[in-house]
Amino acid sequence: MLNSIVSEDTSGGFNMMRLRTLFYLWLLMIICMSSLARAASIEAVRRSVFKISVISQPAQFNQPWLFYSPRSSSGTGFYIGQNRIITNAHVVSNATFITVTQDGSDRSLEAEVKFIAHDCDLAILQVKAGEALKNLTPLELGGMPRLRRPVSTIGYPTGGDQLSITDGIVSRVGFRRYVHSNADNHLLVQVDSAINPGNSGGPVVQAGKVVGVAFQTQTNAENTGYIIPTPVIRRFLKDVEDNVYDGHPLDGFEVEENIMENAGARAYYGLPRDKSGVLVTYVYEYGPSYGKLLPGDVLVSVDGQPIGIDGSIIFHDERVSFRVIFDLRQMGDVVEYGVLRKGKMMTVKVTAAPARPHYSQAKVYSVRPRFYVYAGMVFTALSQNYLLNWGREWYFRAPLLLRFIHSNQAFLTRFSEARDIILLIAKLDAPVNSYVEMDDDLVVDMVDSKQITSLDQLKTILENPRNPFQVIDFWQKDTPLIIDAKSAKDQDKTIKQRYRIEPTEWLHDERKL
Amino acid sequence: MNANYKFLFAFLLLLLPVDGRAAAASATRSEDPNSAIVKITATVQTPDFDSPWKFNRSQTTEHMGIVVAPNRVLVTARAVGYATMLTLERFGLDHKVPMVVDTVDYAVNLALLKPMAETLNWNPKPMVVADEMDLEDKPTLYAAGRQRPTPISGFVRDYTLRQSGTSSYSIPFYSMEVRSTSGLGWSEPVILSGKLAGIAAGQSQNTIYVIPPKIIRHFLTDALSGNYRGFGRLGFNYKRLVDPTMQRYYGLKEGQSGVLITDVSEQSPFWDTVKVGDILTQVDHTPITINGYYKHKKWGYVDFVDKIVDYSVGDDLTLNLLRQGEVVTVSAVMTRYLHTDDYIHKYRYEDEPYVVFGGLVFQELSQGYLEAWGADWAQKAPAELLFMWQYNNKMKKDKSKKVIVLGKVLADSFNQGYQQLADAVVSSINGQPVESLDNVKEAFMKPETSASQSDAGGLATIKFAWESDMIILGYKGVAEAHSRMQKTYGLSGNTHFVTPPPAKTY
């Protein structure tokens, strides 16, 4: 029939050729418009994106009175209003000097950290000369990034000085480890565009709005980048409304997933066929769930959402660990768990509280390690930072006893309540200690038969000897270290001077998130 | 006599082998049918610690052996560990003689072989054990050549205590320096002046470690007596008392010397008489220096543990101690140390035990188990297991106590939900503490019951030492699961399944 139309009337009126031409023109217009639209939306946001230049100086955890030489690094940040630039915590960690340069500007402005959240790798900077940011358009936060939709990452990746925009697709949503603190899991979104160092802290934009902050790359995989999605950013911004960062709440219990696949376990706990859930296996004493949830409870729902056998819930159309709900709460919020306890269904309410375990497994920043030196013996507290002296693969290469305690301390009664897990890490040679044999696994257990749980206590005991000899026992080691109390006292100051130890100790409570 | 005959007579006299070295040389040349040095080939099958019902592919290892008594051949214990077949070959002859183990002591890494068929069909002159060697002695080590043993010369440069190689027991070794150690350390005899001055049992760089004559003599005398008693062990950990501060603290006065006892093993014959903090000053009236040495007649200062290997099981040993300044004398009868006495031993060298329940494979933690993580197992194996092996490995009074691990779960519908658990130290089963594979079997025989679970046929609850995860399994269907697994995983009928009797009262 079309053919007949064409052959019937070739002189004007409805014409197939013209139809085809019109179609192609229309297609061309759509393409131009969408890329123009995208370009236009990028144009609108780019002026709110900053390059951040940082000079940083981390402390040396194995020579704890020293810092490393200053080093320079850079990242990206963007304006969110009220004189605030948001970026990643790791961009500005251990910073001694920060400057920010607006896209299109020729000058850099000094900035300082207003809030920093190491547990979720976010930070807010404020420019010292406030006026310069007045004519900026704050970037708007959007919703959760949509899977399989395109996003643009804007920033200053290494390999050039200009603003760069990379496009990619949102590929995966999960509840995964944030490597900055390397101890906590939060909601995490994966994109398939290249995110390089330098991009960190930059906005990830979808339909003109920010849906995430670019921040991690997977070292083994190519074309994999990770972004902090909006729910985590919003939680952070809400948290600091009261001018104090409280941090992500810890739910404080362990669960066993997949156990309800087993018919025997189901029968034992009385979980009906049509229900699913995970088994609570351990509740930490420091946590908000202690006394509320019990080992042996089966969690079937969280805030009304059913929990799957693998511990997942449906979160924005994707299956993610049920823990994401509690993780996105503020301190003081109440979370309701549907619990099957001894065959009966009940509701348990847990209030998010700023409770922390005694020992933090997290990497720390902008703090000095706690340490104490006496008679040339250098004592410090165990931390992930100390273990990192053995490199990226410290979980294999660091001394066995130390990495074992680091991973299991919650279950080791000797250390579960300790303020410091004290290590003797070095000896500054002097006559009083010349026969002391050093090792890489010296964990202080007792001094003069008294169990030591903090460096402060160690200092008090060592500096106030009751006997002519002081005996230090190490955990899981047979041989004690004997010190001549008088020689130690006499030589202590001289040793510190000779080795230029300054400060001679650091016992401040500077645990930050 | 005619002058020519005299000359001929004198000439013939000169041809008679006179000096010992020539005699020794002829004893070692394979053309001499009396050669006491032989080749021992072992077919070895080590257990697959990952799947302990299986063995790894069999391998052939070659060692040297020495005839030390009629129909008795000496080798290192390492040669016979996990061996399914042992064969003797005389150099230059193709005849293979099947051998079996007469006596083996993995503590000191020595074994005595005998022919499967009562006697060897030839009678070489047995090698005699020499006296102790000296620093700079130049013995000859005989390695495996094709037609004859290859002599390799070296010199003795040290005498030190080391772990035997097949257990955690320490024995003295000579360090013998040779030009190239490649391929050596496999039971080669070390001969000095025609006598057996040692047997090679390991190497490192240019050094061959040689088990000395006194260990060989002690082992042989015992083995040939028909009643092997074995070597005793002190069971102490000690620290050298060179630190003047430590000396003053522990009460060691001027002119006194000894070492500080820092641990006494539950299996030590002195476990109830020697205390941590005592200073050990004399072993059998031989004084010990602050370095832990005693004066050896040939070697000067040697680790005092060298004296302990002189004692046999059943011998009395007296120790002098200083306890807070007071002299204390204690005596005890030496008791046997077996290579499996350690809480976490190296290898059993026999069939590896295990128990399977519903696909859950329970095994003993041992160094062999840890070595499944490859060459850098000491870093890559799970930290909890390495921690137990390195820091929680003290011997227990009850030698049957071991660390039991759930090695893995053989996936089957029966154990769904638990299939990711592996390498976890078991603390209890059905509420009963687990300290041996026998405990595992006994515990499974006593299922826990629960009023609401009668159709599950009773329940097994398994808890772990370093994991908060636990396992709850119904007994119902376990026997069928075992049959399925035999097919799916190719487990033989000999697999050690624990199958409780069919439910009657559960």
Side-chain angles (χ1 to χ4, degrees):
Chain A
M1 195 175 117
L2 273 171
N3 284 333
S4 65
I5 291 174
V6 169
S7 60
E8 246 183 359
D9 182 2
T10 53
S11 60
F14 190 63
N15 183 309
M16 192 50 207
M17 270 285 282
R18 261 208 270 170
L19 185 66
R20 228 182 275 148
T21 320
L22 275 173
F23 173 71
Y24 288 137
L25 275 172
W26 173 83
L27 200 58
L28 191 61
M29 191 178 70
I30 296 293
I31 293 169
C32 288
M33 271 177 60
S34 71
S35 59
L36 267 175
R38 236 197 324 214
S41 77
I42 302 293
E43 276 306 308
V45 306
R46 63 179 294 172
R47 291 289 177 238
S48 306
V49 178
F50 289 75
K51 176 167 184 173
I52 303 178
S53 302
V54 177
I55 306 289
S56 62
Q57 232 194 359
Q60 281 195 43
F61 278 70
N62 58 359
Q63 285 194 96
W65 54 92
L66 295 177
F67 286 91
Y68 286 107
S69 301
R71 51 175 91 125
S72 67
S73 59
S74 67
T76 311
F78 57 99
Y79 185 67
I80 52 168
Q82 297 174 298
N83 191 20
R84 293 174 172 195
I85 295 171
I86 192 169
T87 183
N88 284 143
H90 75 259
V91 171
V92 293
S93 291
N94 299 313
T96 51
F97 193 71
I98 306 171
T99 55
V100 299
T101 314
Q102 190 180 358
D103 173 61
S105 164
D106 64 333
R107 66 198 57 196
S108 60
L109 306 164
E110 205 183 326
E112 61 190 358
V113 173
K114 177 103 170 100
F115 297 111
I116 190 160
H118 293 296
D119 59 351
C120 62
D121 203 359
L122 288 170
I124 288 177
L125 308 179
Q126 279 194 321
V127 166
K128 282 185 174 170
E131 289 96 302
L133 296 186
K134 278 212 176 100
N135 296 321
L136 272 177
T137 322
L139 293 188
E140 249 186 272
L141 280 184
M144 183 71 186
R146 304 289 304 278
L147 210 64
R148 288 172 286 282
R149 299 288 166 84
V151 287
S152 302
T153 311
I154 306 173
Y156 291 91
T158 47
D161 287 327
Q162 309 308 315
L163 186 75
S164 138
I165 297 152
T166 1
D167 290 336
I169 306 279
V170 176
S171 42
R172 192 153 47 169
V173 174
F175 185 75
R176 305 271 302 278
R177 179 66 53 96
Y178 275 39
V179 299
H180 178 64
S181 61
N182 202 25
D184 306 301
N185 296 346
H186 308 293
L187 191 66
L188 187 63
V189 169
Q190 185 181 318
V191 298
D192 71 348
S193 51
I195 293 184
N196 300 310
N199 261 138
S200 287
V204 178
V205 172
Q206 196 174 63
K209 298 213 175 122
V210 174
V211 292
V213 171
F215 80 135
Q216 293 181 173
T217 67
Q218 177 93 318
T219 40
N220 297 331
E222 285 181 11
N223 285 345
T224 321
Y226 292 94
I227 70 178
I228 304 175
T230 22
V232 177
I233 306 171
R234 284 189 197 279
R235 201 219 80 86
F236 169 64
L237 293 173
K238 189 157 170 39
D239 189 319
V240 298
E241 270 172 14
D242 64 350
N243 271 333
V244 175
Y245 181 61
D246 300 303
H248 284 255
L250 298 175
D251 46 22
F253 57 86
E254 300 286 350
V255 295
E256 184 171 352
E257 288 126 2
N258 300 317
I259 181 173
M260 296 307 164
E261 274 177 18
N262 189 275
R266 249 180 203 277
Y268 180 76
Y269 288 102
L271 188 67
R273 281 258 172 101
D274 61 330
K275 282 214 157 12
S276 61
V278 291
L279 179 70
V280 176
T281 54
Y282 191 86
V283 184
Y284 293 100
E285 263 182 59
Y286 68 80
S289 307
Y290 194 69
K292 306 264 173 66
L293 291 175
L294 303 173
D297 281 353
V298 180
L299 301 183
V300 299
S301 70
V302 56
D303 275 1
Q305 297 238 40
I307 298 176
I309 287 193
D310 60 354
S312 66
I313 55 164
I314 307 250
F315 184 82
H316 292 275
D317 300 327
E318 294 302 318
R319 277 223 164 257
V320 171
S321 167
F322 78 97
R323 294 194 194 264
V324 70
I325 300 293
F326 198 97
D327 186 64
L328 286 173
R329 288 285 193 264
Q330 303 291 338
M331 296 304 174
D333 284 357
V334 174
V335 173
E336 257 185 40
Y337 292 99
V339 173
L340 177 67
R341 180 177 295 171
K342 295 206 195 324
K344 291 197 167 62
M345 283 297 307
M346 55 190 284
T347 315
V348 173
K349 297 195 187 175
V350 176
T351 309
R356 303 271 164 225
H358 287 263
Y359 177 73
S360 167
Q361 292 183 320
K363 254 163 91 168
V364 294
Y365 300 88
S366 306
V367 295
R368 289 193 93 129
R370 279 168 60 83
F371 76 94
Y372 170 65
V373 181
Y374 187 67
M377 291 179 301
V378 181
F379 299 94
T380 193
L382 179 66
S383 64
Q384 189 186 150
N385 294 60
Y386 179 71
L387 295 173
L388 278 159
N389 283 307
W390 277 271
R392 279 248 204 89
E393 290 211 312
W394 60 266
Y395 36 85
F396 291 139
R397 312 243 172 265
L400 170 66
L401 194 62
L402 304 190
R403 55 190 171 91
F404 169 75
I405 297 175
H406 175 79
S407 307
N408 292 288
Q409 57 74 234
F411 305 112
L412 294 168
T413 41
R414 170 61 184 88
F415 299 111
S416 53
E417 308 265 308
R419 169 65 180 89
D420 296 306
I421 297 173
I422 303 169
L423 312 176
L424 172 58
I425 60 167
K427 182 181 77 152
L428 307 167
D429 293 322
V432 66
N433 62 38
S434 55
Y435 286 93
V436 172
E437 281 171 28
M438 285 302 298
D439 225 328
D440 61 7
D441 60 354
L442 298 173
V443 180
V444 175
D445 188 13
M446 296 192 284
V447 176
D448 294 340
S449 303
K450 204 160 155 50
Q451 213 173 64
I452 307 296
T453 53
S454 75
L455 284 164
D456 313 75
Q457 187 192 6
L458 178 70
K459 173 187 156 96
T460 309
I461 279 202
L462 285 177
E463 291 181 4
N464 298 291
R466 298 224 189 116
N467 306 309
F469 297 100
Q470 291 168 301
V471 181
I472 305 182
D473 285 298
F474 298 102
W475 197 60
Q476 305 294 339
K477 306 277 276 189
D478 291 332
T479 311
L481 194 163
I482 316 285
I483 311 175
D484 180 320
K486 185 168 184 313
S487 303
K489 226 175 172 63
D490 292 342
Q491 296 179 28
D492 182 49
K493 199 155 173 201
T494 324
I495 297 171
K496 286 170 186 166
Q497 284 167 348
R498 177 176 313 139
Y499 287 92
R500 294 185 260 270
I501 308 299
E502 201 189 303
T504 58
E505 65 189 43
W506 194 263
L507 296 173
H508 298 281
D509 193 356
E510 283 194 350
R511 281 187 296 182
K512 292 192 165 99
L513 295 160
Chain B
M1 212 194 270
N2 187 305
N4 288 334
Y5 285 122
K6 269 196 211 153
F7 173 75
L8 198 60
F9 185 60
F11 183 65
L12 285 170
L13 268 175
L14 283 168
L15 286 177
L16 279 173
V18 166
D19 74 310
R21 191 141 52 90
S26 73
T28 59
R29 280 218 285 266
S30 69
E31 289 90 339
D32 180 349
N34 287 327
S35 169
I37 299 182
V38 294
K39 196 155 66 156
I40 298 289
T41 311
T43 307
V44 171
Q45 267 206 315
T46 51
D48 179 351
F49 286 91
D50 209 29
S51 305
W53 56 89
K54 289 195 293 186
F55 286 91
N56 291 321
R57 265 191 24 196
S58 66
Q59 293 179 311
T60 313
T61 55
E62 289 196 348
H63 304 257
M64 300 293 275
I66 312 111
V67 179
V68 287
N71 301 304
R72 293 290 182 272
V73 176
L74 181 73
V75 289
T76 56
R78 189 139 170 263
V80 308
Y82 294 121
T84 49
M85 189 169 88
L86 295 156
T87 320
L88 177 152
E89 272 177 72
R90 291 158 56 193
F91 283 95
L93 299 170
D94 271 335
H95 186 51
K96 293 187 186 182
V97 182
M99 306 289 281
V100 292
V101 173
D102 175 79
T103 312
V104 60
D105 193 346
Y106 292 101
V108 295
N109 198 1
L110 289 173
L112 201 59
L113 307 180
K114 66 185 176 195
M116 203 181 275
E118 292 293 328
T119 58
L120 295 169
N121 56 10
W122 101 107
N123 283 319
K125 183 154 174 284
M127 191 77 75
V128 170
V129 180
D131 291 328
E132 299 303 305
M133 290 202 281
D134 255 321
L135 181 65
E136 293 186 90
D137 267 351
K138 292 181 173 47
T140 307
L141 178 150
Y142 285 88
R146 254 210 277 128
Q147 294 128 319
R148 64 188 68 83
T150 310
I152 295 178
S153 60
F155 69 92
V156 177
R157 67 162 185 212
D158 208 353
Y159 183 75
T160 49
L161 273 283
R162 300 170 60 87
Q163 286 195 351
S164 65
T166 46
S167 72
S168 64
Y169 190 73
S170 289
I171 58 172
F173 280 89
Y174 294 119
S175 299
M176 182 178 165
E177 183 164 314
V178 293
R179 188 125 39 99
S180 161
T181 56
S182 126
L184 300 182
W186 299 87
S187 306
E188 296 92 1
V190 172
I191 312 284
L192 187 66
S193 306
K195 297 195 184 153
L196 183 66
I199 180 169
Q203 51 134 294
S204 155
Q205 295 165 326
N206 304 27
T207 308
I208 306 288
Y209 295 111
V210 178
I211 300 177
K214 74 171 187 181
I215 306 276
I216 298 173
R217 191 174 286 115
H218 183 163
F219 171 76
L220 271 184
T221 317
D222 242 16
L224 294 171
S225 74
N227 175 25
Y228 187 79
R229 290 175 300 160
F231 291 73
R233 186 175 188 169
L234 266 188
F236 298 157
N237 283 354
Y238 64 89
K239 170 108 171 95
R240 300 158 12 155
L241 266 181
V242 293
D243 180 352
T245 311
M246 283 184 90
Q247 289 170 6
R248 291 197 324 267
Y249 179 75
Y250 286 101
L252 191 71
K253 298 195 188 41
E254 189 75 36
Q256 294 177 325
S257 70
V259 293
L260 178 72
I261 302 296
T262 56
D263 185 68
V264 182
S265 158
E266 281 179 32
Q267 285 185 28
S268 164
F270 294 96
W271 72 275
D272 54 352
T273 47
V274 174
K275 299 192 193 339
V276 169
D278 284 350
I279 300 178
L280 180 62
T281 56
Q282 292 185 12
V283 169
D284 203 22
H285 310 295
T286 304
I288 298 176
T289 68
I290 52 175
N291 265 304
Y293 300 147
Y294 80 104
K295 203 107 198 295
H296 187 281
K297 22 184 218 296
K298 281 191 183 181
W299 284 89
Y301 286 107
V302 172
D303 205 314
F304 80 91
V305 175
D306 178 61
K307 277 212 72 79
I308 305 303
V309 300
D310 294 340
Y311 292 87
S312 286
V313 170
D315 286 349
D316 246 312
L317 179 62
T318 304
L319 305 176
N320 282 32
L321 310 159
L322 268 178
R323 186 173 293 161
Q324 280 150 8
E326 300 283 311
V327 174
V328 175
T329 308
V330 295
S331 288
V333 172
M334 292 304 269
T335 51
R336 175 89 188 262
Y337 164 71
L338 265 179
H339 65 288
T340 48
D341 285 349
D342 293 299
Y343 189 44
I344 302 171
H345 53 254
K346 282 192 147 125
Y347 313 96
R348 278 193 175 273
Y349 290 115
E350 297 149 357
D351 273 355
E352 188 62 21
Y354 66 93
V355 162
V356 179
F357 176 84
L360 276 54
V361 182
F362 296 93
Q363 300 170 251
E364 291 176 341
L365 181 61
S366 65
Q367 187 174 311
Y369 184 93
L370 292 169
E371 288 176 353
W373 271 270
D376 51 356
W377 60 270
Q379 280 151 357
K380 296 275 172 76
E384 295 75 34
L385 302 185
L386 288 172
F387 169 74
M388 306 271 324
W389 168 76
Q390 193 166 328
Y391 294 95
N392 264 11
N393 198 356
K394 300 231 157 113
M395 291 206 259
K396 307 280 174 247
K397 190 110 188 106
D398 179 353
K399 298 181 185 195
S400 69
K401 289 194 179 184
K402 298 283 171 194
V403 177
I404 302 301
V405 289
L406 171 67
K408 61 165 153 258
V409 177
L410 298 172
D412 180 85
S413 52
F414 180 78
N415 53 46
Q416 228 174 339
Y418 305 117
Q419 290 157 7
Q420 73 286 355
L421 286 167
D423 308 312
V425 176
V426 179
S427 59
S428 70
I429 294 177
N430 293 340
Q432 298 184 45
V434 165
E435 291 180 292
S436 67
L437 288 173
D438 281 341
N439 287 164
V440 172
K441 288 187 233 173
E442 287 151 12
F444 277 123
M445 289 301 181
K446 301 196 189 113
E448 294 183 320
T449 57
S450 166
S452 60
Q453 315 321 327
S454 47
D455 64 327
L459 288 169
T461 315
I462 302 154
K463 297 202 176 153
F464 302 98
W466 305 109
E467 286 269 354
S468 49
D469 282 359
M470 55 189 273
I471 294 183
I472 297 185
L473 280 171
Y475 274 65
K476 182 170 169 198
V478 66
E480 292 85 342
H482 290 168
S483 310
R484 279 197 300 274
M485 278 173 223
Q486 279 192 274
K487 294 195 193 77
T488 327
Y489 293 99
L491 301 176
S492 73
N494 288 333
T495 305
H496 311 162
F497 287 114
V498 178
T499 312
K504 295 177 280 207
T505 51
Y506 320 136

